[in-house]
Amino acid sequence: MKKTKDILIFIFALIVVSAIGYGIFLYFYVQKRYAQSPVNKTELVSKSQSRSGLNSNLVAFLDNPIDLLDFVLTLF
């Protein structure tokens, strides 16, 4: 029984040490990956068009919503 307990403690300690090592590895990997200097880009952005048509359609729908029960009954 003592031997089994020792084996389980060893396996648990091995898992804990592996998890800590993997955490340290991930920390340095992420630091290395995102520490790269960003590339400066210049882009020309056109002026956005107004979308008043979409907004008026939404307002019209909200003022007069679809009656689903009536719609289903007209199908049959």
Side-chain angles (χ1 to χ4, degrees):
M1 188 65 150
K2 183 171 171 55
K3 189 173 184 178
T4 305
K5 181 181 171 186
D6 290 342
I7 291 172
L8 289 176
I9 290 173
F10 175 75
I11 291 172
F12 179 73
L14 189 63
I15 291 171
V16 168
V17 168
S18 297
I20 291 171
Y22 187 66
I24 292 170
F25 166 77
L26 281 179
Y27 174 76
F28 286 113
Y29 176 76
V30 168
Q31 292 296 322
K32 179 182 172 187
R33 178 144 175 113
Y34 292 106
Q36 299 170 354
S37 61
V39 177
N40 292 330
K41 293 183 179 180
T42 304
E43 295 182 16
L44 179 62
V45 179
S46 64
K47 293 182 181 179
S48 62
Q49 299 174 353
S50 65
R51 298 186 181 196
S52 61
L54 176 66
N55 192 19
S56 63
N57 290 339
L58 179 61
V59 170
F61 175 74
L62 292 175
D63 287 341
N64 188 14
I66 299 172
D67 185 9
L68 290 177
L69 183 59
D70 186 40
F71 177 74
V72 171
L73 291 177
T74 58
L75 292 177
F76 295 106

